[in-house]
């Protein structure tokens, strides 16, 4: 029997492929539905980086944490704009992201097949940021970047991978977030109707 998916979880079918999964995992460190933030303090952020395979070279400081949080929310705003009919938040988010990534120093390397790739040239937290940016750039070139989306449900915003043929996915889990949004829309449409109206 298949385990029931809970609010704030990502279905296996909506997990991003490598290396885009790094971006998805990073953005989903904050879960509005379940009320947790794995980056809420320098200590927790340091632990998350270590568990993700990055040595932050000691506990990260307040400035590094603020940058990580800014990157996370800026990227989430960009991914929200990947939804059909989404507002044009991307331009504002992109401007803020450009300010945050100005110090990133990505290099170029060649993989064993001779294909050029962006590569981090730093270590610690900066190396993580460079890997994150490299994953986004690679996804942009291979056509998967716009498939990574933030759930359109304002109370969720979990990041999911839209593998649908026409890229029309809007909700991380239709049965939960889609249903809630449709119910909210229904109530708003009918809130002004007199009793007994059909």
């Amino acid at each position: 029997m298949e385990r029931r998916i809970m609010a704030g979880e990502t279905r296996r079918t909506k997990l991003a492929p490598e290396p885009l999964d790094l971006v998805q995992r990073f953005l989903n460190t904050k879960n509005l539905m379940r009320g947790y933030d794995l980056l809420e303090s320098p200590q927790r952020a340091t632990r998350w980086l270590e568990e993700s395979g990055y040595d932050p070279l000691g506990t990260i400081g307040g400035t590094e944490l603020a940058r990580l949080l800014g990157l996370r929310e800026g990227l989430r705003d960009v991914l929200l704009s990947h939804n059909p009919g989404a507002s044009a938040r991307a331009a504002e988010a992109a401007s803020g992201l450009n300010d945050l990534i100005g110090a990133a120093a990505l290099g170029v390397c060649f993989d064993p097949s001779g294909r050029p790739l962006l590569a981090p040239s730093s270590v610690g937290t900066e190396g993580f940021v460079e890997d994150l940016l490299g994953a986004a750039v690679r996804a942009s070139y291979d056509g998967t970047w716009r498939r990574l989306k933030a759930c359109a449900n304002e109370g969720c915003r979990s990041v999911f991978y839209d593998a649908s043929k026409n890229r029309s996915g809007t909700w991380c889990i239709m049965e939960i977030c889609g249903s809630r949004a449709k119910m909210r829309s229904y109530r708003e449409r009918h809130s002004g109707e007199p009793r007994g109206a059909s």
Side-chain angles (χ1 to χ4, degrees):
M1 186 166 109
E2 187 177 324
R3 185 177 69 81
R4 186 172 170 215
I5 300 292
M6 303 300 288
E9 292 184 335
T10 305
R11 287 183 191 266
R12 281 214 151 312
T13 56
K14 294 202 174 186
L15 294 176
E18 289 185 7
L20 202 51
D21 64 325
L22 178 64
V23 179
Q24 184 180 32
R25 283 187 294 114
F26 174 61
L27 296 184
N28 284 341
T29 56
K30 183 173 187 176
N31 189 308
L32 297 175
M33 293 282 235
R34 295 193 150 193
Y36 68 78
D37 186 346
L38 299 178
L39 307 181
E40 70 183 353
S41 69
Q43 294 77 20
R44 288 197 75 184
T46 299
R47 189 173 335 130
W48 184 85
L49 284 169
E50 289 170 344
E51 290 170 357
S52 298
Y54 293 89
D55 180 1
L57 308 176
T59 302
I60 67 172
T63 303
E64 284 178 300
L65 179 59
R67 182 173 182 229
L68 287 174
L69 297 177
L71 280 170
R72 184 179 67 185
E73 298 316 312
L75 283 167
R76 189 184 317 278
D77 283 345
V78 167
L79 298 186
L80 189 59
S81 75
H82 290 177
N83 287 312
S87 64
R89 301 169 85 152
E92 185 179 332
S95 175
L97 284 172
N98 288 336
D99 292 341
L100 290 168
I101 64 171
L106 285 167
V108 176
C109 69
F110 289 85
D111 72 7
S113 71
R115 185 178 65 158
L117 299 171
L118 291 173
S121 58
S122 304
V123 294
T125 306
E126 193 59 33
F128 166 74
V129 170
E130 291 170 10
D131 273 350
L132 193 71
L133 298 174
V137 170
R138 282 193 294 275
S140 177
Y141 282 100
D142 71 17
T144 57
W145 178 243
R146 292 201 61 84
R147 287 187 176 275
L148 197 63
K149 300 177 177 183
C151 182
N153 179 355
E154 290 176 16
C156 179
R157 297 296 194 236
S158 287
V159 172
F160 67 96
Y161 186 76
D162 180 5
S164 67
K165 200 170 195 176
N166 62 1
R167 301 179 186 204
S168 63
T170 304
W171 320 106
C172 63
I173 300 174
M174 178 60 197
E175 298 85 356
I176 297 172
C177 290
S179 292
R180 287 179 181 177
K182 289 179 179 187
M183 187 57 87
R184 187 170 41 249
S185 176
Y186 175 83
R187 280 194 297 262
E188 287 170 3
R189 281 194 316 269
H190 294 86
S191 63
E193 285 186 7
R195 286 185 172 260
S198 54

